[in-house]
Amino acid sequence: MSEQPLNPSPAGAPADDAAGPAPVAPEPAAPGPTGSTAADALPTGPAPDAASDTVSGEDAAVSPVDAAVSDEDAAARRAASFERARRLRQEPRFPGGPAADPAGSHHERRIRSFQPRRSRVTTSQQESLERLWPQWGLDIDGKRVLDLAELFDGLPVVLEIGFGMGEATAQMAADDPGTGILAVDVHTPGQGNLLGLAEKAGSTNVRVANGDAVILLREMLAPESLDGLRVYFPDPWPKARHHKRRLIQPDFLDLVAPVLKPGAIVHCATDWEPYAEQMLEVLTAHPRFENTAADGGYAPRPAFRPLTRFEGQGLDKGYVVHDLLFARV
């Protein structure tokens, strides 16, 4: 579905007229040839020595030893810059809140269906993250198997992957307090927004997970522990060369099937027609899932999935939204 600088640059201070007399303007230089620039008027040779108007070729030459030292210094500066960037990526933006890189580097490199984004966090979102994350948030670190019964006080649990700013998730949680929602995303403002919305509605059945849903499915969920999966409006990756990044793929369904209870529903929705066709094809072909639509096609939008503001704007523009509901067999 789906992260602007936090602080604007300060405005320049006005000149202080009382600081001293105004500087004297230099004498105008003689005009150069037509088309010349300030750079053209600068001397192009080496700077003269303090005691001489010329520099000997012997002084201007760089010895092999000096060149090697210079190369080493440049390499050290580059390494230090990379290290600072790496630490910045790993530092949490909010102490006690979601980690910047929860799984660390011990997991394999692979094509991912999401692009982490760091965008502006509002004051209210930051306050929600700092105050509510210790209670309702968790990092996907791949180091433990979650006890969903303990995490959700025995409620049946549905996993939602990619909740954006969390409006639809918060509404579904408020409308169905008897179902726990484990909501996964990497978008920090959305995480804070969902926590704030859930608290405002008095919903205690939402937990926000930060990180890669693949690691969560593969390493942190017990077999047959989920009562459903929701994937609403995932990134369609429309360019052909990016189709491999789409979330709904056979390998992804192979991870999903074991952690779902028999009869659990996988519910996908998209307004991107080619992606809807791929979803239908992939889900239909998988032996562990069965289409709940009698005609083997798309399903009507169920009442429990809210019509979001952005979806409504798309419908006004003529977009068609497709829902797919498949049961785990």
Side-chain angles (χ1 to χ4, degrees), residues 189-201:
Q191 294 167 350
N193 202 57
L194 175 55
L195 289 170
L197 291 173
E199 181 186 47
K200 184 177 180 180

Side-chain angles (χ1 to χ4, degrees), residues 53-133:
D53 290 336
T54 62
V55 177
S56 67
E58 201 176 329
D59 292 335
V62 179
S63 71
V65 174
D66 292 338
V69 172
S70 179
D71 289 344
E72 290 177 2
D73 289 345
R77 287 194 295 270
R78 287 195 298 269
S81 177
F82 292 151
E83 178 61 20
R84 286 194 298 271
R86 185 189 66 82
R87 287 199 305 268
L88 180 61
R89 289 194 299 270
Q90 293 179 342
E91 289 174 359
R93 298 180 70 184
F94 310 104
D101 186 15
S105 59
H106 64 281
H107 291 283
E108 80 285 356
R109 295 178 61 86
R110 56 181 164 78
I111 296 172
R112 284 173 167 78
S113 63
F114 62 90
Q115 180 65 42
R117 298 165 294 160
R118 283 198 165 193
S119 56
R120 183 178 181 274
V121 177
T122 66
T123 301
S124 62
Q125 292 163 0
Q126 177 177 345
E127 191 274 338
S128 296
L129 284 169
E130 294 174 346
R131 187 167 50 82
L132 299 173
W133 187 263

Side-chain angles (χ1 to χ4, degrees), residues 116-295:
R117 298 165 294 160
R118 283 198 165 193
S119 56
R120 183 178 181 274
V121 177
T122 66
T123 301
S124 62
Q125 292 163 0
Q126 177 177 345
E127 191 274 338
S128 296
L129 284 169
E130 294 174 346
R131 187 167 50 82
L132 299 173
W133 187 263
Q135 178 183 1
W136 289 346
L138 62 98
D139 284 315
I140 301 174
D141 54 15
K143 297 179 180 179
R144 67 197 189 282
V145 175
L146 298 177
D147 186 342
L148 296 183
E150 178 181 357
L151 195 62
F152 287 91
D153 299 323
L155 295 176
V157 179
V158 171
L159 174 65
E160 181 178 359
I161 299 177
F163 55 79
M165 294 305 293
E167 294 95 340
T169 306
Q171 184 174 335
M172 288 187 291
D175 292 344
D176 184 12
T179 298
I181 301 178
L182 179 58
V184 180
D185 211 308
V186 294
H187 187 43
T188 311
Q191 294 167 350
N193 202 57
L194 175 55
L195 289 170
L197 291 173
E199 181 186 47
K200 184 177 180 180
S203 301
T204 59
N205 55 329
V206 177
R207 303 293 180 269
V208 179
N210 168 54
D212 190 342
V214 168
I215 295 175
L216 175 71
L217 289 164
R218 189 179 63 198
E219 302 178 27
M220 298 182 66
L221 294 176
E224 298 187 359
S225 58
L226 291 177
D227 291 81
L229 170 68
R230 297 168 181 170
V231 183
Y232 298 155
F233 304 98
D235 194 326
W237 294 102
K239 295 181 180 179
R241 68 176 183 271
H242 291 157
H243 287 181
K244 59 190 175 184
R245 296 183 178 274
R246 289 176 173 174
L247 182 63
I248 306 302
Q249 307 274 7
D251 290 348
F252 174 75
L253 296 180
D254 290 341
L255 288 176
V256 169
V259 300
L260 290 176
K261 297 176 181 177
I265 297 296
V266 173
H267 182 193
C268 302
T270 181
D271 60 357
W272 192 259
E273 185 79 25
Y275 197 9
E277 294 171 355
Q278 176 184 323
M279 289 180 176
L280 183 59
E281 179 182 351
V282 171
L283 282 161
T284 300
H286 201 284
R288 302 292 298 275
F289 296 98
E290 185 177 70
N291 198 337
T292 62
D295 62 356

